[in-house]
Amino acid sequence: MPLRATHRDAGQATVLDLSGKITLGEGSALLRTTVRKLLDDQRTRILLNLADVDYIDSSGIGELVSAYTTVKGRGGELKLLHLTKKVHDLLQLTKLFTVFEVYSDESTALNSFQ
Amino acid sequence: MGTDPKHLEITLETQVDSVNVAEEMCLRVAEAAGFGEDDCYKIGMSVREGVINAFHYGNKERPDKKIHLAVDLTNDKMIIHVLDEGTGFTLASVPDPLAEENLLSTSGRGIFLMRAFMDEFDVVSGRTGGAEIVMAKKLPLQENPGTNGQGSQGASPHQGA
Ligand SMILES: Nc1ncnc2c1ncn2[C@@H]1O[C@H](COP(=O)(O)OP(=O)(O)OP(=O)(O)O)[C@@H](O)[C@H]1O
Ligand SMILES: [Mg+2]
């Protein structure tokens, strides 16, 4: 299943709901263009909901890091919500778990942006 | 069941879809060999990463070059070879993605993941002169009938070169 991305505004932040795989090719590219579009719309507080993402390869990890640094570079913040076990383990393995702010509850995550 | 040595070989085109073809073939072998879901995921991911590198770095995305994939099933492990037609590389020259200065790098994690997900991993100089990734995963122990072969879980990554 290819990656799907939809966003919804939640107060000052924007939740980007992703489902599918973030892998080399379309998945990674869709994440990149979607985040870029949100930034162009001045949406710089982004919460990536990864509840329905259970496959990410090295290209997808690179794209997550790229999204994180790009958003930060624009003065915003990008945080992660609802990691599946596979994605959690992958971020732990690559030591990125400590780089990203990760939440398991949406309202707590949203409040952290204020 | 599944104890005779088996050998499968396929020549793949240098194109993105070969990554999926390679992953699917290896997953079919791994499932038939009795690997559980978690091990299949790790094997599939490792094959993807190996073939992506062969496609991109080895063959430089040139369609006149091929990627050679071989799978061997022995009594105790599944061995996967990914050979390209590039000029090869040495593991010692690959930076550690866990080093502080590389943590925010947008690349450089593929080899690390293969090493973490497989029980054996090496890069040798192949017969084409290109890099040959050789990696293996131990077959799950079949001593626990009824537990769907959940194999070794939580293998820790091999760090350093
Ligand atoms: N088949 C190959 N032939 C030549 N060089 C290779 C090959 N595979 C890997 N390399 C070298 O090893 C480096 C590390 O590979 P690795 O897969 O870990 O990271 P990456 O491909 O650069 O990024 P990522 O996999 O995270 O998207 C590559 O940058 C490349 O220089
Ligand atoms: Mg790679």
Side-chain angles (χ1 to χ4, degrees), chain A residues 58-59, chain B residues 49 53-54 57-58 84 88-89 94 107-111 131:
Chain A
S58 67
S59 160
Chain B
E49 296 293 343
N53 283 352
Y57 295 108
D84 62 49
F89 73 107
V94 174
S107 64
R109 299 183 181 87
I111 288 174

Side-chain angles (χ1 to χ4, degrees), chain A residues 28 31-33 35-36 39 48 58-74 78 96 100, chain B residues 103-107 109:
Chain A
S28 289
L31 175 58
R32 187 177 332 139
T33 53
V35 168
R36 214 172 281 162
L39 289 175
L48 279 190
S58 67
S59 160
I61 299 174
E63 211 47 64
L64 281 181
V65 172
S66 168
Y68 173 83
T69 53
T70 306
V71 171
K72 209 169 175 180
R74 294 275 287 265
L78 180 133
L96 287 169
F100 288 102
Chain B
L103 275 190
L104 285 180
S105 169
T106 56
S107 64
R109 299 183 181 87

Side-chain angles (χ1 to χ4, degrees), chain A:
Chain A
M1 17 126 209
L3 187 69
R4 296 202 313 139
T6 52
H7 69 267
R8 53 196 162 91
D9 289 319
Q12 306 199 49
T14 300
V15 182
L16 183 55
D17 295 303
L18 297 174
S19 73
K21 300 181 177 190
I22 310 178
T23 54
L24 178 82
E26 285 172 34
S28 289
L30 181 68
L31 175 58
R32 187 177 332 139
T33 53
T34 308
V35 168
R36 214 172 281 162
K37 247 182 263 162
L38 292 179
L39 289 175
D40 288 345
D41 293 344
Q42 313 308 323
R43 292 181 166 97
T44 57
R45 293 168 167 143
I46 301 172
L47 182 60
L48 279 190
N49 178 7
L50 298 174
D52 293 321
V53 173
D54 76 344
Y55 199 102
I56 301 184
D57 64 7
S58 67
S59 160
I61 299 174
E63 211 47 64
L64 281 181
V65 172
S66 168
Y68 173 83
T69 53
T70 306
V71 171
K72 209 169 175 180
R74 294 275 287 265
E77 283 183 290
L78 180 133
K79 306 183 183 192
L80 307 182
L81 176 68
H82 293 322
L83 303 186
T84 56
K85 177 165 190 309
K86 282 200 178 93
V87 172
H88 171 275
D89 290 353
L90 212 48
L91 292 186
Q92 198 115 61
L93 194 63
T94 52
K95 283 199 178 174
L96 287 169
F97 197 72
T98 50
V99 170
F100 288 102
E101 252 182 74
V102 179
Y103 292 88
S104 52
D105 176 72
E106 185 169 316
S107 55
T108 309
L110 290 173
N111 284 332
S112 76
F113 281 103
Q114 315 304 320

